[in-house]
Amino acid sequence: MSAQLDTQGTLWGFKRMVPLSLFVIAFGLAFGVAAIQRGLTGFEALLMSGLVFAGAAQFASLELWGPTIPLVALIATTFAINARHLLMGAALYPWVRHLPTGQRYACLGLMSDSNWAMAAADYRRGETNVGMLVGGGIALWLAWMLGTLLGVVFGSGISEPERFGLDVIMGCFLLAMLVGGKPQLSMLIPWSVAAVAALLAIYFLPANAHVIVGALAGGIAGLCLPVATPKAAS
C-alpha cells in the first residue's frame, strides 16, 4: 500500500514523541541561555529556534556570532552540520514519494534525528502512515521553542553565567551528543575527525575557521561511512 498522511496518524506521532520531547526542552533551555550570553536578543533567539529548528547548527552558529558575522562561514557551517539530512531524506524518499507535494515537504520540513529514527523504524515494519514525521516533528518543535523561551527568560536574569557553569554550556551540550546513547563506531569516527580537524584549524587557520573546518571534516567522514537504508517490510 502507498504511504498516507492523516490527522489520526499525525496525532499518534505527536503522542509517541512527547516523552522524548521533554528532554528536548532541556537542550532548548541551554540554547536560550547561551544565545543571550552571546549577545542575541530574546526575540532573535526565539526566531532562530522557530525558523532554523536545528540544535547542533544553532549552537555552532553562536560560535561565529559577534559584532561582525562571517556570513559565508555561517552558511557553510550550517549546511555542513545538517548535510546528514540529505541521507535521511533519501532513506525515506521511497516511503513518502507518493504523497502529494505539500504533504511530502511538510514531512521533510519537520524532520529531525529523533522523529526520523522512529519513522524509519515504522518504514521497516511496513507501516503506511507517515504521521510520525509530522506529528513527531511538531512535538519536537514545540518542545524546542518552549525550552528556548525558558532559556531566554532565565538567561536574561543571569549577570554572571560563569557562577553557574553556563559559560561552558555549549561544550557540555556537544559532549552529551557525543557520549550519549549506545556507543557506535559510526558515531565516534566523524566526531573524532571533526575534533582533530578543528584543533588543527585553531592553530593554523584564522579565527573562527575551526568551526567550519571541523563541521566539514566530520560531515565528509560521515558521508564516507556505509549507511544502512531502511527497507519496507514485504
Side-chain angles (χ1 to χ4, degrees), residues 19-63:
L20 183 60
S21 298
L22 298 178
F23 295 96
V24 175
I25 294 176
F27 290 118
L29 188 151
F31 171 75
V33 172
I36 292 298
Q37 300 306 326
R38 294 292 293 188
L40 276 74
T41 66
F43 175 76
E44 289 170 340
L46 288 169
L47 186 64
M48 181 186 291
S49 284
L51 297 179
V52 179
F53 183 41
Q58 289 179 225
F59 274 91
S61 69
L62 293 182
E63 288 289 340

Side-chain angles (χ1 to χ4, degrees), residues 88-193:
M88 292 160 61
L92 291 182
Y93 175 72
W95 196 33
V96 302
R97 63 180 176 179
H98 298 299
L99 291 175
T101 303
Q103 292 185 4
R104 186 164 66 248
Y105 286 116
C107 291
L108 300 179
L110 289 167
M111 184 176 68
S112 65
D113 299 87
S114 300
N115 62 330
W116 174 84
M118 295 184 72
D122 288 351
Y123 176 32
R124 287 193 296 268
R125 289 195 301 268
E127 297 286 344
T128 59
N129 200 302
V130 299
M132 185 66 245
L133 282 171
V134 176
I138 292 174
L140 292 170
W141 184 85
L142 289 174
W144 182 247
M145 290 298 294
L146 175 59
T148 301
L149 177 61
L150 292 174
V152 165
V153 172
F154 286 109
S156 300
I158 299 175
S159 57
E160 298 180 21
E162 61 277 2
R163 291 181 56 191
F164 306 96
L166 298 178
D167 54 328
V168 296
I169 202 164
M170 283 185 284
C172 293
F173 170 80
L174 295 175
L175 182 61
M177 289 184 63
L178 176 60
V179 302
K182 183 179 180 181
Q184 295 181 354
L185 185 63
S186 60
M187 285 291 293
L188 292 177
I189 291 178
W191 277 95
S192 299
V193 171

